[in-house]
Amino acid sequence: VLTAHAQTPPAGERWDVPLDPRDWKLVQHDGNERQSERTYVRHGDNAYFWNERIVSGFRATGANPEDYIAGFVEELMESCRPLKVSALDQDAASILFQWQGDCRIYGPQIEFRRVMLDKGGLHYFAYATKPGRLSDAKKELWLATLRGARLK
């Protein structure tokens, strides 16, 4: 995740999470001032064939995190089966949850996603990897990173 060579967050990134550009590259960025999504993968991977992926996004909406998650899970159910979803942490403005499924385009994966509501809208930050590639130490590191992530 964060290495001894960690840099400042990439330009345009809303989350204050330093990603080392020697490890991660931006492969997709879609959006405008009302919504955006950025996808990062490890060097050597691409947007469709990856072993680890980070997704961050924003929607200018007053919807609460529970409504976002319900819609997100509904979308996942169309292409990821079997699908297992579980909440990990929740407070008044933020939810951290995990999902695992075998998805049509990306194959089997496990993802940890934090969804947060602030005065500017709904923000999310996620880490995904392939099952069998997630050690306990890496899982704990990513969960700590997601829990500690702050908006700029």
Side-chain angles (χ1 to χ4, degrees), residues 13 15 24 28 36-41 50 53-57 68 72 111-114 124-128 146:
E13 181 58 58
W15 290 91
W24 296 97
Q28 277 184 309
S36 69
E37 185 167 281
R38 302 167 71 87
T39 303
Y40 304 87
V41 297
W50 50 266
R53 177 177 72 172
I54 295 171
V55 177
S56 68
Y68 165 83
F72 179 76
E111 181 182 278
F112 304 99
R113 183 171 288 237
R114 180 164 173 220
Y124 54 92
F125 187 77
Y127 168 77
L146 290 166

Side-chain angles (χ1 to χ4, degrees), residues 55-91:
V55 177
S56 68
F58 165 75
R59 293 186 183 168
T61 177
N64 64 42
E66 291 92 351
D67 291 341
Y68 165 83
I69 293 169
F72 179 76
V73 169
E74 193 173 303
E75 288 177 23
L76 284 175
M77 289 175 65
E78 293 176 13
S79 62
C80 300
R81 297 201 181 206
L83 179 65
K84 183 174 142 187
V85 181
S86 54
L88 302 174
D89 291 328
Q90 183 171 357
D91 62 32

